[in-house]
Amino acid sequence: MLPSDRSSLASPANRASLLAGAALAALGAIGLGTPAAAQDAPQDPPTADQPDGVDEAVQDYIEGEAPPPGTEREIGFEADSLEYDSDADTIVARGNVVLREGERSVRADQVRWDRPAGQIQASGNVRYVDGDGNQLYASELELTDKFETGSLEDLLLVLREGGRLAAERGERTEDGRVALQRAVYSGCSVVTSDGCPKNPSWKITAERVTYDPETSKIRFQKGFFSLFGQRLVPLPTLELRTDGGPTSGFLVPNLRISRSNGVELSGDYYWRLADNRDLQIGAYLYSQATPMVSAKYRELTGNGAYQVTGYATHSRRIDTDSLTAQDQRDFRGYIAANGRFILGENWQFTGSTRLASDRTFLRRYDISRDDRLRTMAELERIDKDSYFVIAGFATQTLRLDREQGEIPLALPLIDYRRRIDEPLLGGTVTLRGNSLAITRDEGQDTQRALASAQWDLRRVTPLGQVVQLTALARGDVYHTANGSQTTIASYRGTKGWETRAIALAAVDVSWPLVGPLFGGTQVLTPRVQIVATPPIENATIPNEDSRAIDLEDVNLFSLNRFPGDDRFEDGARVTYGVEWEMTKPDWRVSANIGQSYRLDDKQIIFPDGTGLSDRFSDIVGRARVRYKDLVSFTYRFRLDKDDLTPRRTEVDATIGSRRTYAEIGYLRLDRNIPLANEELGDREELRAAGRFAFADYWSVFGSAVVNMTNRDEDPTLQSDGFEPIRTRLGIAYQDDCIDLGLTWRRDFVSQGDALRGNTIELTFRLLNLGGGG
């Protein structure tokens, strides 16, 4: 046997003694043929004048470098010492041994390579990395000469996806799977963020475990699920994916206690139908209600995707007039579906529907708290210069005080827009055509068609002022029927056909001024806008989409401060304001303020209470402060033009980190007018939420929504100015692989059979445990 020391490989004299023992192994490993006689005959040590090809090939093989052209190396070695037994044709490497084959490698204290048997035995602190990045630690490891694992002892398998498998022993089967005995698996980290060791929150122990690296699936037999070290659930057989991908099986059940349904136990089964299709089926059991079932189907097609969700039960409905339960049981349910499909290079179809059997089903079973459900479909064509859509919208109201017949059906809505660059004086022309039909079973019906052309030119002067010129021409045609059934007179249109012409000219000038401030940069931008529009006939036109008008900082400089198309602001006005922003590392502070003044004294069509009903508008603005991701504060306001009384106050503030934070939101609308309709009513609301983290993974949280509107602000209410709507408190535990929470919620408002009262819910989710999408 010929011992060698890798540390002396740099010396040509010492390298020669190593080559004598390693030559045959290297020649075999790099694929060079060796005569049979040479295997038996004593080999003379190579000399300095030996051909360079063999010398370099062996040296590259030992050092793990690329082989010379025309050779093929299977496995490369690195070791502190290397011995070759020519009689047994075995190689023994000791000390910091490294074997490499492609992307796979083995590190160990000692490696013995039995070349006739085609076996490689590694021992002592073995670490094996396969081609997929999975790492295997063992006291002993057996490999084939194709670098595939065989038997293993006292092993730990660290998967690329983050899971870990430990076992007393194991072996690699002929089909490439790893079969383990007395094994334990967990998807949890075993160290904290500081690098300290910790026990996994959950683990699965089993007598036999099979891991398939091709499919990333683990199959357990005769196992137990343990949570925080306690064995809880026996698992006769279980299969999951280590990459987090979905696989068929039962999901973790949920437990809830509510005033409306009593004790609720629900569970789901996830069925992976194919790589592009899945189905989730659920069952709900209640102590105070009949059972309910649900299903959710999803599919990814060749040109789009869609999903369908449904709930169904058989129970008593609520009579919307008397608000009492009916004597007979009836079908109750809900369906929701949506999808989008690409129909060509520029075409796409989007559709969705939400339908409920009755108005209280969603709240009764705590599925949704929406008070209206919308169904829509739209076919769109989009390219770089144009947009075209044909759409339809239908709404189902869930409010007990509204008649479904009063809810409009919008079908069809057709809109086309085309942009033409530089056709006139270097500006941009936008052409638009729009048509809309609105029908009701009980109420006003409206049909509309319009066409417009808008020219915009934007230039920057040598002094830095930004000047934008705009000209607009538009023509409308309306048809109205059954207008007398509309309660609010200003929303009605004149019966029959009506036409309207609109023209507008505007100039908008802003001047950004940049300078340093407090180690950062500030930008001060004064802005002035003049808009002129001839008198427009608005009173004879029905108002369907321009009802919710309120002056804010975001629409102060809009050409038409009415939303939608049915109302258009006329006359001449000047709007002025200033915007300021300061940015520096970690900080961003901005504010704006503005007002408008009408240059004529003609009748104003804006309703009282909107901030636009006089020649001088109210003053509107916004202030915003942000510091890193720790502090965010936004304040929006509208001040009365006469005495600066706040008519709109809106505050949104957040402070803290992702784990510990506090949020507050406040809104107050004080229009100082009699209540005429719900779009112009007074309102005051407070929202608060917070979370406090402690002991690494624990946290307590809470939230509340409070209606602070009193009878003086809204005569239809019975509130004294502090009426909680919903509150929530809870405690949660969350680490890298488990999410556990207990929540108490109280609803203070009843709606039919969705009763006010307490709800207690236990949530439990296992993370890093492959399951349903």
Side-chain angles (χ1 to χ4, degrees):
M1 301 182 67
L2 300 173
S4 62
D5 189 340
R6 187 176 58 180
S7 62
S8 63
L9 292 179
S11 169
N14 292 334
R15 183 179 60 186
S17 63
L18 172 63
L19 297 179
L24 290 178
L27 290 174
I30 63 177
L32 298 178
T34 304
Q39 300 180 22
D40 298 328
Q43 302 296 312
D44 294 329
T47 61
D49 58 355
Q50 186 178 13
D52 292 339
V54 176
D55 188 325
E56 294 177 358
V58 175
Q59 183 63 51
D60 290 343
Y61 162 74
I62 295 173
E63 296 183 352
E65 299 176 357
T71 66
E72 180 182 354
R73 185 182 74 241
E74 293 182 356
I75 300 176
F77 263 91
E78 289 183 20
D80 291 341
S81 63
L82 187 69
E83 299 178 356
Y84 175 63
D85 186 341
S86 57
D87 296 332
D89 195 8
T90 59
I91 299 175
V92 178
R94 293 185 175 89
N96 300 315
V97 184
V98 179
L99 287 74
R100 293 192 181 94
E101 190 275 329
E103 297 182 354
R104 297 181 289 184
S105 65
V106 172
R107 296 177 181 270
D109 294 339
Q110 176 177 303
V111 171
R112 180 182 180 85
W113 185 1
D114 188 340
R115 297 186 63 244
Q119 291 183 342
I120 301 176
Q121 292 181 336
S123 59
N125 300 314
V126 181
R127 177 177 177 266
Y128 169 74
V129 181
D130 65 14
D132 294 326
N134 301 315
Q135 302 180 52
L136 191 152
Y137 298 86
S139 59
E140 294 184 5
L141 172 66
E142 183 179 290
L143 296 169
T144 68
D145 53 7
K146 295 183 179 180
F147 222 64
E148 296 179 346
T149 57
S151 61
L152 313 102
E153 297 288 337
D154 296 328
L155 64 98
L156 171 64
L157 178 59
V158 181
L159 305 175
R160 179 188 59 185
E161 297 85 3
R164 289 170 171 79
L165 264 172
E168 290 185 0
R169 63 184 63 85
E171 63 178 355
R172 189 184 187 95
T173 59
E174 295 181 357
D175 57 4
R177 300 183 181 185
V178 178
L180 307 175
Q181 297 181 16
R182 298 183 62 81
V184 57
Y185 169 78
S186 178
C188 306
S189 175
V190 295
V191 295
T192 65
S193 58
D194 299 329
C196 300
K198 76 178 188 71
N199 293 323
S201 301
W202 63 262
K203 63 183 178 180
I204 299 174
T205 57
E207 289 295 325
R208 292 187 298 276
V209 175
T210 304
Y211 169 60
D212 188 346
E214 293 294 327
T215 61
S216 298
K217 289 184 178 181
I218 301 179
R219 184 174 182 83
F220 302 88
Q221 293 177 294
K222 296 183 179 181
F224 271 90
F225 174 79
S226 299
L227 182 65
F228 298 120
Q230 301 298 317
R231 300 176 67 176
L232 298 180
V233 182
L235 302 172
T237 181
L238 173 69
E239 186 176 276
L240 57 85
R241 295 185 58 160
T242 62
D243 58 0
T247 185
S248 299
F250 287 98
L251 305 183
V252 178
N254 295 317
L255 178 65
R256 178 187 297 170
I257 303 174
S258 67
R259 168 80 184 281
S260 299
N261 301 314
V263 179
E264 171 189 339
L265 179 64
S266 61
D268 294 88
Y269 181 82
Y270 177 80
W271 189 3
R272 184 71 167 175
L273 301 174
D275 289 341
N276 66 323
R277 295 181 294 126
D278 59 20
L279 175 66
Q280 185 170 318
I281 302 174
Y284 302 77
L285 300 177
Y286 307 97
S287 63
Q288 298 179 12
T290 55
M292 183 175 66
V293 295
S294 68
K296 181 178 182 179
Y297 177 81
R298 303 184 301 180
E299 181 171 346
L300 178 65
T301 67
N303 63 339
Y306 69 95
Q307 63 178 1
V308 181
T309 302
Y311 295 82
T313 187
H314 193 265
S315 63
R316 294 184 178 91
R317 297 191 186 188
I318 289 295
D319 185 275
T320 56
D321 295 327
S322 64
L323 299 182
T324 58
Q326 298 176 352
D327 294 334
Q328 64 181 16
R329 297 179 181 271
D330 199 359
F331 169 81
R332 302 183 71 182
Y334 166 71
I335 186 171
N338 60 13
R340 175 171 293 178
F341 300 91
I342 306 301
L343 305 180
E345 181 180 358
N346 303 111
W347 290 88
Q348 68 178 19
F349 173 81
T350 303
S352 66
T353 184
R354 298 179 68 195
L355 297 171
S357 60
D358 57 88
R359 303 192 183 190
T360 62
F361 174 79
L362 294 181
R363 283 179 177 263
R364 166 69 187 269
Y365 293 97
D366 212 7
I367 298 171
S368 170
R369 297 189 171 272
D370 294 338
D371 60 4
R372 60 177 63 92
L373 305 178
R374 191 175 74 163
T375 296
M376 59 81 66
E378 60 181 17
L379 178 66
E380 297 174 289
R381 186 188 186 279
I382 306 173
D383 61 30
K384 65 183 184 66
D385 293 318
S386 68
Y387 174 76
F388 173 73
V389 61
I390 302 177
F393 301 88
T395 302
Q396 178 187 6
T397 182
L398 301 183
R399 294 177 56 176
L400 298 178
D401 59 349
R402 291 294 301 270
E403 295 293 336
Q404 181 63 43
E406 299 175 354
I407 307 302
L409 169 67
L411 181 71
L413 166 64
I414 303 174
D415 194 77
Y416 176 74
R417 307 181 189 216
R418 183 168 186 83
R419 182 182 60 198
I420 305 174
D421 292 329
E422 301 186 357
L424 180 64
L425 301 177
T428 299
V429 172
T430 302
L431 304 177
R432 182 190 179 206
N434 178 277
S435 177
L436 173 64
I438 293 179
T439 58
R440 294 177 175 88
D441 292 337
E442 304 171 11
Q444 180 173 266
D445 297 335
T446 303
Q447 294 82 43
R448 173 186 83 196
L450 64 85
S452 68
Q454 179 173 322
W455 173 78
D456 293 285
L457 175 66
R458 185 176 184 271
R459 290 291 184 265
V460 179
T461 69
L463 293 179
Q465 295 99 338
V466 180
V467 180
Q468 180 160 333
L469 304 177
T470 301
L472 170 69
R474 190 179 114 183
D476 302 344
V477 178
Y478 280 81
H479 181 271
T480 306
N482 303 321
S484 60
Q485 299 185 34
T486 299
T487 305
I488 301 174
S490 61
Y491 294 167
R492 300 172 188 164
T494 301
K495 182 179 179 180
W497 293 96
E498 292 289 334
T499 60
R500 179 174 64 180
I502 298 172
L504 176 146
V507 56
D508 192 313
V509 180
S510 60
W511 194 358
L513 305 173
V514 182
L517 181 69
F518 302 137
T521 302
Q522 65 169 331
V523 180
L524 181 68
T525 308
R527 183 179 179 184
V528 177
Q529 179 195 66
I530 299 176
V531 180
T533 305
I536 298 173
E537 186 57 57
N538 282 293
T540 61
I541 302 298
N543 185 359
E544 297 283 3
D545 63 3
S546 301
R547 300 180 179 183
I549 171 63
D550 201 6
L551 180 63
E552 301 179 66
D553 63 292
V554 294
N555 65 358
L556 176 65
F557 286 92
S558 298
L559 297 177
N560 178 29
R561 290 179 289 193
F562 278 104
D565 293 305
D566 291 340
R567 291 288 181 267
F568 202 96
E569 184 178 0
D570 58 1
R573 69 181 186 270
V574 57
T575 305
Y576 42 88
V578 62
E579 183 170 355
W580 175 80
E581 182 178 62
M582 188 272 290
T583 58
K584 60 179 298 184
D586 301 331
W587 285 91
R588 183 171 184 176
V589 183
S590 64
N592 62 32
I593 191 171
Q595 187 182 33
S596 67
Y597 173 72
R598 296 185 63 86
L599 301 176
D600 55 48
D601 57 358
K602 70 180 296 295
Q603 183 179 2
I604 299 173
I605 64 172
F606 288 104
D608 292 337
T610 61
L612 292 165
S613 56
D614 291 324
R615 294 187 68 176
F616 275 102
S617 75
D618 285 347
I619 301 169
V620 295
R622 182 195 70 240
R624 181 174 294 166
V625 178
R626 186 176 186 91
Y627 173 68
K628 294 184 176 180
D629 291 328
L630 298 178
V631 177
S632 176
F633 176 83
T634 302
Y635 168 55
R636 297 182 179 89
F637 61 87
R638 175 161 67 87
L639 306 178
D640 191 287
K641 65 184 185 309
D642 297 322
D643 55 11
L644 301 183
T645 299
R647 297 301 176 196
R648 180 188 182 97
T649 302
E650 187 174 358
V651 176
D652 289 290
T654 302
I655 183 171
S657 63
R658 184 183 65 85
R659 299 190 64 232
T660 298
Y661 60 85
E663 297 178 348
I664 188 170
Y666 174 76
L667 173 65
R668 186 171 190 265
L669 299 178
D670 179 14
R671 301 181 186 276
N672 195 33
I673 59 173
L675 179 62
N677 59 73
E678 61 181 354
E679 282 85 6
L680 296 176
D682 288 343
R683 179 185 173 190
E684 189 171 6
E685 182 180 279
L686 176 67
R687 308 178 312 277
R691 181 180 292 269
F692 176 75
F694 63 95
D696 293 332
Y697 305 110
W698 290 91
S699 65
V700 291
F701 57 88
S703 64
V705 179
V706 181
N707 181 14
M708 303 181 68
T709 310
N710 57 40
R711 286 186 293 271
D712 295 335
E713 297 169 322
D714 188 346
T716 64
L717 298 178
Q718 300 300 319
S719 172
D720 59 357
F722 190 88
E723 182 184 24
I725 298 175
R726 185 167 54 255
T727 57
R728 186 177 66 132
L729 291 173
I731 185 170
Y733 175 93
Q734 183 177 24
D735 59 19
D736 62 310
C737 63
I738 193 171
D739 190 349
L740 177 64
L742 180 64
T743 304
W744 167 82
R745 189 189 75 214
R746 180 169 179 81
D747 294 288
F748 292 84
V749 179
S750 295
Q751 183 172 353
D753 56 351
L755 304 177
R756 58 182 295 176
N758 299 322
T759 298
I760 300 175
E761 183 174 11
L762 176 65
T763 58
F764 180 56
R765 291 192 307 144
L766 295 177
L767 312 178
N768 302 329
L769 180 68

